[in-house]
């Protein structure tokens, strides 16, 4: 089996704190599946010391095509790691995305600072 096949069919994330230049450790993340106008909770976790989750957010039979939302609790994170000495400007950063192919790797990184964020489809 090739490495590409071993890594297939999963959803992962990585959060970097661009204000400190370090991974965002212990940041809470919630995953939802979007069904019409309903959000169905699937998973809640925290990032490890490297800003990653210890296991994929979705894999195997749980990896289904459809619409999803990740909620990154950055206000909580910045309140515990004060960078600016102020109340955090951002609270929960929602990222909505779609999965078309259950057999490929979807990676949703988040670059975050107290006053802004950026995301993209990673590899």
């Amino acid at each position: 089996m090739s490495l590409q096949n071993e890594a297939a069919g999963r959803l992962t994330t990585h959060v970097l704190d661009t204000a400190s230049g370090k991974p965002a450790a212990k940041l809470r993340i919630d995953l939802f599946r979007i069904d019409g106008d309903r959000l169905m909770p699937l998973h809640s976790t925290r990032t490890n010391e490297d800003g990653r989750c210890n296991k994929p957010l979705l894999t195997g039979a749980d990896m289904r095509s459809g619409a999803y939302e990740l909620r990154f609790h950055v206000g909580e994170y910045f309140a515990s790691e004060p960078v600016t000495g102020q109340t955090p400007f951002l609270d929960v950063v929602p990222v909505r995305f779609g999965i078309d192919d259950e057999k490929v790797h979807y990676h949703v990184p988040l670059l975050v600072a107290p006053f802004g964020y950026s995301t993209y489809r990673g590899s």
Side-chain angles (χ1 to χ4, degrees):
M1 180 179 277
S2 74
L3 288 177
Q4 183 177 359
N5 288 339
E6 289 177 21
R10 63 191 171 139
L11 170 66
T12 58
T13 189
H14 187 197
V15 186
L16 297 173
D17 177 345
T18 59
S20 70
K22 297 179 181 176
K26 300 179 184 155
L27 187 139
R28 183 165 53 111
I29 301 169
D30 298 320
L31 174 64
F32 299 86
R33 182 171 171 82
I34 301 170
D35 183 11
D37 58 357
R38 289 184 13 185
L39 291 176
M40 299 167 33
L42 297 179
H43 189 64
S44 186
T45 190
R46 288 191 181 267
T47 56
N48 61 24
E49 295 302 314
D50 192 37
R52 300 176 187 273
C53 300
N54 288 328
K55 60 183 183 177
L57 298 169
L58 289 176
T59 189
D62 294 331
M63 186 77 175
R64 299 178 13 215
S65 63
Y68 293 85
E69 179 173 303
L70 282 167
R71 289 186 183 173
F72 298 90
H73 294 265
V74 300
E76 189 178 272
Y77 166 79
F78 284 117
S80 69
E81 300 283 333
V83 176
T84 63
Q86 302 176 24
T87 301
F89 177 69
L90 297 171
D91 186 19
V92 178
V93 172
V95 177
R96 288 194 172 194
F97 59 96
I99 291 177
D100 288 327
D101 187 347
E102 301 94 350
K103 295 180 176 104
V104 300
H105 180 195
Y106 286 80
H107 185 66
V108 183
L110 182 73
L111 306 175
V112 67
F115 300 103
Y117 65 92
S118 177
T119 189
Y120 55 95
R121 179 166 179 197
S123 58

